[in-house]
DNA sequence: TTTGGCACTCCACTGTCCGGAGTGCCAAGC
DNA sequence: GCTTGGCACTCCGGACAGTGGAGTGCCAAA
């Protein structure tokens, strides 16, 4: 019985603190939420919650503020991801359906996510690793120069310019194109790489060797894995206080895509909605920020991740709902493509 | 004679204010710069400079601060763009030479500029408008689905997926490819567009019509003109004070690429190093920021622009030198490609 | 176990004061 | 006619004390 009320008190504290940004006291709490008990009772509960480490007071005779542990409990047990309203769903659908290509989908998603949550949004480009090769095109720019274009199932296109040792006749180009495509088209990246390697046992300087090598290089190029788009940085302006402690490190992290990727988490974690709160991550500087992220991709595959980064004092239910909704719509679009 | 000294005083004020970030008084001025006159004399000069609108005092009995007009005079007449040191030049060359493709060049440039100037750097992708068509490739994905790939002289690749009304035989595809290329290859975008339009007088639903239409669309797609990369946002953290008045609007502008483009200026302005100081631009909110930008591109063409955005109180000579140096190296690289 | 009462704490805000830095002006000097 | 030293004046910003309010912890009674 008291246990239940204590949790209600914790929830009330989190909700109040998130909206007012100020430590919340016992009196305000009973007034704003219909707790049906007196402030004194709430005080007792608060003392208990503080003993257990869920809340803390900035100084004696101040209201209480949730700790990271408190937010964690709130997220895990006291909140259900509230579904988006019909209007919001329509807005998401309308905006994302207007996208013309993958770049556009990704860019629109970031903006959308940033708008919905009023936080900084981060979207990772679909990773190469699980996608398949749709087509390889070879374009002759000069007799001894070739443009190799790699088209993937996700819609990504990688191109490389190669210099051949010798001139290549048109018929040979046609041959080369079909050989390469027979080996790679339709295969998952990993398979395609092995197939291409099998074509040229010892890396020679033949046109085929050069092209295969280039393709393998393009496929294993991890720069593309690290591609990330960030949006809504203007929302950082709303942090207001603690500029140095919160905004500065975050601003720095946003530039370091490697760090962002770590924050978003591993794509292999699947579609699960993950929430990292405050100090729970490896980066001390980001102790006052939280990350809400999830995987997305066509079908039930999780090709990449997207999410938002914000202050620990954020609207978790809202953020979680928005992240999940956007991920679902993006996944659906990738499905259709 | 006095005129000369007045300018020296203005220069000293600008330099001091930029480095100390505090209003500079007459005494500190004579001490730090060997002006060879007494503080009282400097005060007279300052009063004159203030009358003419080059400097101002935040409040009575405070030191002086340069006005936008003061910075303008400083930039136009009191400073020479100091060349980069040999070490810096080497660093620029090393970093940029490592780039593997256009994307990489652009990304490295932004980072480099941000590092060199410790400001926010902005680089526009080479515009389509002046570049020429290197090749058009048509890839058959299914009998009635075609991937249209447009390759430009700048190394940019645009791709579009088109659905044909009917199936297309392989021979017809070969024909189609050569017709389109005969019309477009080697031409400047504008010419290519007219040539393609001439191919199909009335926009029909023939494969040729569809493809031509798609190409024209891809060429005139202004999304690509607007592509911009921003870096060094973490440097905003160094703004320190006036967060609301300076950082917030800038952060918002950085998200609006259209605004950024306007700030960078027209590419047609050529290679000229342009400096916009404070209120000189159309955006009131950015009254406390300055932009140093220049055009770049292969040969002497100015395909796009790059530059930095920072507080009006910035190191102009240093920024100008860095922007110019990076633009030159990037241009050189585009030359070679 | 809940509640009202009460003493206590601490912050945030306000007003006052004072020193320092800087200015403007004036009269004397070069 | 500039330049310079002197002097009175202004204003900011930090230090300091005082006050009110919000909130707490604890205790005894219901």
């Amino acid at each position: 019985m008291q246990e239940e009320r204590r949790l209600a008190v914790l929830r009330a504290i989190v909700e109040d603190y998130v909206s007012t940004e100020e430590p919340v006291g016992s009196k305000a709490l009973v007034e704003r939420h219909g707790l049906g008990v007196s402030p004194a009772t709430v005080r007792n509960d608060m003392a208990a919650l503080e003993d257990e480490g869920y809340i803390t007071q900035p100084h004696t005779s101040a209201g209480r503020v949730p700790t990271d542990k408190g937010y964690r409990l709130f997220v895990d047990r006291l909140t259900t991801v509230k579904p988006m309203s019909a209007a919001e769903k329509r807005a998401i659908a309308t905006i994302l359906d207007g996208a013309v290509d993958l770049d556009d989908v990704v860019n629109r998603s970031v903006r959308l996510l940033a708008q919905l949550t009023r936080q900084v949004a981060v979207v990772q480009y679909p990773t190469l690793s699980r996608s398949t090769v749709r087509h390889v095109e070879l374009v002759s720019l000069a007799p001894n120069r070739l443009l190799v274009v790699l088209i993937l199932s996700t819609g990504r296109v990688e191109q490389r310019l190669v210099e051949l040792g010798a001139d290549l006749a048109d018929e040979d180009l046609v041959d080369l194109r079909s050989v390469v495509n027979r080996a790679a088209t339709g295969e998952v990246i990993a398979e395609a790489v092995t197939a291409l390697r099998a074509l040229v046992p010892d890396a020679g300087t033949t046109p085929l060797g050069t092209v295969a090598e280039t393709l393998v290089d393009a496929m294993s190029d991890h720069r593309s894995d690290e591609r990330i788009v960030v949006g809504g940085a203007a929302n950082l302006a709303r942090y207001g206080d603690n500029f140095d402690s919160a905004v500065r490190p975050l601003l720095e992290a946003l530039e370091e895509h490697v760090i962002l990727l770590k924050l978003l988490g591993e794509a292999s974690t699947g579609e699960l909605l993950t929430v990292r709160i405050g100090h729970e991550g490896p980066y001390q500087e980001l102790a006052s920020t939280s990350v809400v992220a999830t995987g997305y991709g066509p079908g039930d595959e999780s090709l990449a991740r997207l999410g938002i980064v914000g202050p620990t004092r954020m609207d978790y239910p809202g953020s979680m709902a928005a992240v999940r909704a956007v991920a679902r719509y993006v996944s659906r679009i990738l499905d259709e493509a």
Side-chain angles (χ1 to χ4, degrees), chain A residues 233-253:
Chain A
N235 290 329
L236 285 177
R238 294 185 314 110
Y239 271 52
D241 53 343
N242 57 16
F243 178 83
D244 272 8
S245 67
V247 180
R248 184 193 304 264
L250 186 46
L251 220 36
E252 276 161 17

Side-chain angles (χ1 to χ4, degrees), chain A residues 248-321:
Chain A
R248 184 193 304 264
L250 186 46
L251 220 36
E252 276 161 17
L254 291 184
E255 300 253 312
E256 287 301 328
H257 290 184
V258 187
I259 295 185
L260 275 186
L261 276 171
K262 279 236 178 83
L263 280 182
L264 280 184
E266 297 299 322
S268 56
T269 319
E271 266 205 51
L272 254 78
L273 196 59
T274 53
V275 181
R276 184 189 65 70
I277 296 169
H279 67 276
E280 294 175 2
Y283 304 104
Q284 278 200 324
E285 308 80 28
L286 299 177
S288 56
T289 64
S290 287
V291 178
V292 177
T294 186
Y296 74 93
D300 287 334
E301 270 190 305
S302 171
L303 282 186
R305 312 207 90 213
L306 57 77
I308 58 118
V309 184
T312 44
R313 174 221 298 139
M314 76 158 75
D315 170 19
Y316 289 97
S319 302
M320 290 163 78

Side-chain angles (χ1 to χ4, degrees), chain A residues 75-289:
Chain A
V75 167
D76 287 348
R77 296 191 41 207
L78 302 177
T79 189
T80 50
V81 183
K82 61 183 171 197
M84 311 288 292
S85 74
E88 284 171 316
K89 282 186 184 170
R90 262 200 309 282
I92 296 178
T94 316
I95 290 177
L96 290 186
D97 284 344
V100 301
D101 60 11
L102 182 69
D103 273 353
D104 208 16
V105 171
V106 172
N107 286 325
R108 282 170 188 242
S109 306
V110 196
R111 287 189 173 234
L112 186 58
L113 212 44
Q115 273 177 20
L116 286 173
T117 61
R118 304 193 44 85
Q119 306 286 1
V120 177
V122 184
V123 177
Q124 179 188 8
Y125 265 76
T127 340
L128 289 177
S129 48
R130 294 210 196 171
S131 47
T132 60
V133 176
R134 186 186 275 168
H135 187 81
V136 174
E137 186 52 48
L138 305 179
V139 180
S140 169
L141 301 177
N144 66 340
R145 287 181 107 192
L146 219 53
L147 184 77
V148 179
V149 182
L150 172 67
I151 301 152
L152 300 171
S153 58
T154 50
R156 291 213 55 190
V157 176
E158 293 272 325
Q159 80 273 5
R160 290 281 193 290
L161 198 63
V162 299
E163 304 274 348
L164 301 177
D167 287 5
L168 190 70
D170 276 358
E171 314 87 76
D172 293 340
L173 179 63
V174 175
D175 278 356
L176 188 52
R177 186 183 291 132
S178 72
V179 168
V180 173
N181 270 297
R182 213 174 304 132
T185 304
E187 302 292 339
V188 171
I189 295 289
E191 308 278 337
V193 168
T194 30
L196 284 171
R197 287 233 170 89
L199 285 182
V200 273
D202 29 39
T205 52
T206 61
L208 177 57
T210 321
V211 169
E213 204 173 295
T214 309
L215 280 171
V216 169
D217 183 55
M219 289 176 186
S220 21
D221 192 344
H222 279 268
R223 271 193 316 123
S224 36
D225 275 3
E226 289 164 9
R227 274 191 74 188
I228 270 195
V229 180
V230 176
N235 290 329
L236 285 177
R238 294 185 314 110
Y239 271 52
D241 53 343
N242 57 16
F243 178 83
D244 272 8
S245 67
V247 180
R248 184 193 304 264
L250 186 46
L251 220 36
E252 276 161 17
L254 291 184
E255 300 253 312
E256 287 301 328
H257 290 184
V258 187
I259 295 185
L260 275 186
L261 276 171
K262 279 236 178 83
L263 280 182
L264 280 184
E266 297 299 322
S268 56
T269 319
E271 266 205 51
L272 254 78
L273 196 59
T274 53
V275 181
R276 184 189 65 70
I277 296 169
H279 67 276
E280 294 175 2
Y283 304 104
Q284 278 200 324
E285 308 80 28
L286 299 177
S288 56
T289 64

